[in-house]
Amino acid sequence: MTRYSGSRAVVVGQEPGIGLAIAKRLVEGGADVLLTVGGQEERARARTELGSAARLVVLAPPPGPGARGAPGALGALDRLLEAEGAGGADLLFADAVSTARPLLPRVRDGGAVVLTSPVPSAAAVGALAGELAGRGIRVNAVAPGCIEARPAGAVPLPPLGRLGSAEEVARAALFLATDATFTTGAWLPVDGGLGRT
């Protein structure tokens, strides 16, 4: 499969399962991928999953100024995907935006940014989308909830009756990054309907 062949992407994987799932789909599709990981254990797992097909950069979470130079070897980027944790407080979305911001100048005009956070702010997504619209860069968010990495019994099951997977979050993020070419400023809940109850 070469769906993403010739494209370059950075996945800032603060939530290792989701970041790795996104990177894996991109690599399988032929993209040149740089994945940030939080430490040597995550690096070893990612290397096992991805082989040598992706570049891995170890950054102590949360990525700080070091993230700014990490994608330099890739040059201009077609896609920037930032994978925050699947649980937490309203500050997570602010963290997602602040982590992505130093990398935005590397995103090509006409590219895409997808932020993944359990609590996206519609106003913040819209503001960043408006800021980058002049460059044709689409900005969207995925809001994961009830993902299987959480401890059993930590949350009630959503209306769909099961926990979701990192792979399902990755598919939604990549839909927004590649297929939703006339969508910007939107956020997509991937939570089995929990947010609707």
Side-chain angles (χ1 to χ4, degrees), residues 2 4 8 20 24 29 35 38-39 51 54 75 83 89-90 97 120 124 136 160 165 171 180 185 191 193:
T2 58
Y4 308 120
R8 296 174 175 166
L20 181 57
K24 191 171 182 179
L35 170 66
D90 291 340
V97 172
L160 284 182
S165 69
R171 286 196 303 261
D191 61 6

Side-chain angles (χ1 to χ4, degrees), residues 15-186:
E15 203 302 316
I18 293 172
L20 181 57
I22 292 170
K24 191 171 182 179
R25 289 186 70 85
L26 285 165
V27 164
E28 288 170 352
D32 191 2
V33 177
L34 184 141
L35 170 66
T36 66
V37 292
Q40 294 303 326
E41 186 175 315
E42 285 179 27
R43 181 186 180 105
R45 178 179 172 210
R47 184 58 66 213
T48 299
E49 296 267 341
L50 301 172
S52 61
R55 298 174 211 186
L56 305 176
V57 175
V58 177
L59 297 173
R68 202 179 293 257
L74 285 179
L77 305 173
D78 298 295
R79 297 174 186 88
L80 170 62
L81 297 105
E82 201 282 332
E84 273 290 349
D90 291 340
L91 290 177
L92 280 178
F93 191 72
D95 288 347
V97 172
S98 65
T99 299
R101 188 163 290 287
L103 303 174
L104 295 178
R106 293 193 175 274
V107 179
R108 292 182 198 271
D109 291 356
V113 174
V114 178
L115 304 172
T116 302
S117 176
V119 283
S121 158
V125 173
L128 192 56
E131 180 183 326
L132 297 174
R135 294 178 53 201
I137 296 174
R138 296 174 297 103
V139 178
N140 294 292
V142 173
C146 290
I147 303 306
E148 61 193 11
R150 288 183 172 203
V155 292
L157 287 177
L160 284 182
R162 66 176 179 84
L163 297 178
S165 69
E167 172 66 19
E168 289 170 308
V169 178
R171 286 196 303 261
L174 287 170
F175 165 74
L176 290 172
T178 59
D179 294 327
T181 56
F182 198 58
T183 302
T184 193

